[in-house]
Structures are given as structure tokens and as C-alpha cells.
């Protein structure tokens, strides 16, 4: 009777565990986290860069500025895009292994 209850308990436990549980972690998990971090940081950088260029164009349209707003060097005299790029690089380097193929892109 106890052996039968033990067997039933083991079967129930095995059905409740997700597939692959206990078999070790997914070898691609770190690469997926790296890719997600790179995508998040790239989106943030693009958002800041486009916002900076848009603000420059708005100032130029009002006559407060003269120059090429499509040039980030001109559009971003305070260097905000460069700071965000540095933070993005640091965040990606923190989560991505040096040999991760995602970093090669």
C-alpha cells in the first residue's frame, strides 16, 4: 500500500514539474537575456536620439537655431545621446558574456 502511494505521489510530482526541471538550466538562457538587454538598450538609445533630433528641428523651425539637425553632433550639444550610448554599452557588457555571439553584431 505504501509503495503504491509513493508511486502515485511520484507520478503526480512528475506531472506538476515543468519539462526539463532538474535537468540543468537552458544553455541559451544567458544568450536570450543578452539579446533582450541589447534590444532594450538599442530602443532606448534610438528613442533618445530621435527625440533629440526632433527637438532640434522644432527649435530650428521656430528660428531659434540654424544648422543641420540631422547631425547628432550639432543636434545634441549637451552630449545626452553619448551618455545614453555609454550606459547602454555598460548594461550590455554586464549581461552579455564576452564570447556571446550577440555581442559580435
Amino acid at each position: 500500500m505504501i509503495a503504491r502511494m509513493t508511486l502515485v505521489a511520484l507520478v503526480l510530482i512528475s506531472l506538476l514539474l515543468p519539462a526539463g526541471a532538474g535537468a540543468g538550466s537552458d544553455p541559451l538562457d544567458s544568450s536570450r537575456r543578452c539579446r533582450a538587454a541589447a534590444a532594450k538598450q538599442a530602443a532606448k538609445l534610438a528613442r533618445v536620439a530621435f527625440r533629440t533630433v526632433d527637438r532640434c528641428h522644432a527649435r530650428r523651425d521656430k528660428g531659434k537655431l540654424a544648422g543641420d539637425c540631422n547631425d547628432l553632433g550639432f543636434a545634441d550639444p549637451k552630449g545626452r545621446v553619448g551618455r545614453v550610448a555609454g550606459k547602454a554599452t555598460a548594461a550590455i557588457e554586464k549581461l552579455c558574456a564576452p564570447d556571446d555571439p550577440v555581442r559580435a553584431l
Side-chain angles (χ1 to χ4, degrees), residues 37-38 40-42 44-45 48 79-95:
K40 180 180 177 180
Q41 296 302 322
K44 186 184 297 186
L45 179 60
V48 169
R80 182 161 188 241
V81 174
R83 285 192 305 275
V84 171
K87 288 179 182 179
T89 301
I92 291 168
E93 287 177 352
K94 181 179 177 183
L95 285 174

Side-chain angles (χ1 to χ4, degrees), residues 59-95:
R59 287 191 315 264
R60 190 183 67 187
D61 292 346
K62 291 179 182 178
K64 297 180 180 180
L65 188 65
D68 183 12
C69 288
N70 294 323
D71 176 15
L72 274 177
F74 176 79
D76 187 24
K78 295 181 181 178
R80 182 161 188 241
V81 174
R83 285 192 305 275
V84 171
K87 288 179 182 179
T89 301
I92 291 168
E93 287 177 352
K94 181 179 177 183
L95 285 174

Side-chain angles (χ1 to χ4, degrees), residues 5 7 9 13 28 30 32-33 35 37 39 41-42 44 53 72 76-78 80-81 86 89-90 93-94 99 102 104:
M5 288 175 54
L7 179 63
I13 290 172
L28 297 177
S30 65
R32 287 185 185 108
R33 281 191 312 239
R35 194 173 314 121
Q41 296 302 322
K44 186 184 297 186
V53 170
L72 274 177
D76 187 24
K78 295 181 181 178
R80 182 161 188 241
V81 174
T89 301
E93 287 177 352
K94 181 179 177 183
D99 61 342
V102 174

